[in-house]
Amino acid sequence: EPKDLEEVAKRVMEQAHALGCRILSLLEARACPTLQPGTLANSHNLWGDDGQCTLRLLHYMPMDVATLEQLKSSKEQHWRAGPHTDWCCCTLLFQRPGNDGLECAANPRAGSSQWVAVDPVPGGIAVNIGDMLARWSDNRLLSNLHRVRLPTPAECTPPRPRYSMAFFMQADKKSILKSEKYEPITAGDYILGRIKSNFATGAGAA
């Protein structure tokens, strides 16, 4: 582990958090017109017991051509990361140039299923709307689907890994998500419910 990893990671989180707050402030009037200005940004504190903002360092293992062909010949569909939406208010995704594979699509409720490549752009940051903001905004903004496809044969020759970093803007645990369509819920209970849903099984699974 690099000696300065923690220090560098904290700096990345602080800068990502500042940008995320700026983005939420720009979206607020459109997404949540009944909120007091600044509510979204002020509900996301970086440090402290109540904070839920999270940085993930993502490493997709290298794959050789033989493994790729084996997966593609299977009757099942395979991904490096399957289609999903994020649970947070918004996600800032930092991609390494040359590490293609991310694809995005509109939320199914928006009536579109077209997938579009979101290849890395030097100096660029991909931004996803998450489920928490979709709920908070009464679906004025919808969370977008995204996935990471399998590498192409060229990307497997030679096998090489894929790296990215995702910063999730998740409101503080005690922040209350109030909207017209949904029952109020704290952001902490919302995230906990989403975690539990991942492990739901049997007749009680939603």
Side-chain angles (χ1 to χ4, degrees), residues 67-110:
T67 302
L68 174 65
E69 293 304 320
Q70 182 179 6
L71 292 175
K72 291 173 66 176
S73 65
S74 169
K75 295 181 180 179
E76 298 180 357
Q77 180 71 62
H78 293 276
W79 315 94
R80 271 183 158 174
H84 65 281
T85 56
D86 293 335
W87 300 344
C88 56
C89 278
C90 71
T91 303
L92 277 61
L93 184 67
F94 303 83
Q95 301 186 86
R96 174 182 284 185
N99 282 193
D100 298 348
L102 177 65
E103 297 176 331
C104 287
N107 190 291
R109 285 175 289 181

Side-chain angles (χ1 to χ4, degrees), residues 131-143:
D131 299 333
M132 184 180 286
L133 184 55
R135 179 185 177 117
W136 213 338
S137 70
D138 281 324
N139 298 327
R140 293 183 183 90
L141 297 180
L142 294 173
S143 51

Side-chain angles (χ1 to χ4, degrees), residues 4-16 46-47 55:
D4 59 350
L5 176 61
E6 182 177 356
E7 178 184 349
V8 172
K10 285 183 176 180
R11 288 204 304 268
V12 170
M13 292 178 72
E14 288 167 353
Q15 294 181 31
L46 185 54
W47 309 119
L55 176 68

